[in-house]
Amino acid sequence: SSNPTNKPSSWTNKHSGTAYRVTPTSSVMSYNGNNTCRRFTTTETMSSGKSQTVNGVACRQDNGTWKEIQHS
């Protein structure tokens, strides 16, 4: 299921040690013909402590997964 707007999900890649935090920043919207899309912010923090933040749009696929279709 989808998180509420501004409620993050977090996890760590056990192999790389990189921590991910994804936060939906909009309600469901239409984007490029897909009616189930949301804006999001992702922060990646590597085990070295270096981090980067990416903003984008992801759309829900027919199988229920979300796919990034645009980022900045």
Side-chain angles (χ1 to χ4, degrees):
S1 68
S2 298
N3 277 14
T5 301
N6 296 318
K7 184 175 191 293
S9 291
S10 301
W11 69 94
T12 300
N13 180 311
K14 292 177 184 175
H15 298 289
S16 68
T18 300
Y20 297 89
R21 180 180 175 105
V22 178
T23 306
T25 57
S26 75
S27 55
V28 175
M29 62 181 193
S30 181
Y31 188 86
N32 283 350
N34 187 320
N35 292 323
T36 314
C37 300
R38 296 179 85 177
R39 295 189 187 282
F40 68 90
T41 298
T42 299
T43 301
E44 298 176 25
T45 304
M46 288 146 246
S47 58
S48 65
K50 182 180 175 187
S51 67
Q52 71 176 23
T53 300
V54 175
N55 297 300
V57 175
C59 295
R60 192 172 188 126
Q61 305 301 295
D62 291 338
N63 66 2
T65 62
W66 289 82
K67 180 179 180 184
E68 178 183 341
I69 58 169
Q70 184 267 327
H71 72 268
S72 57

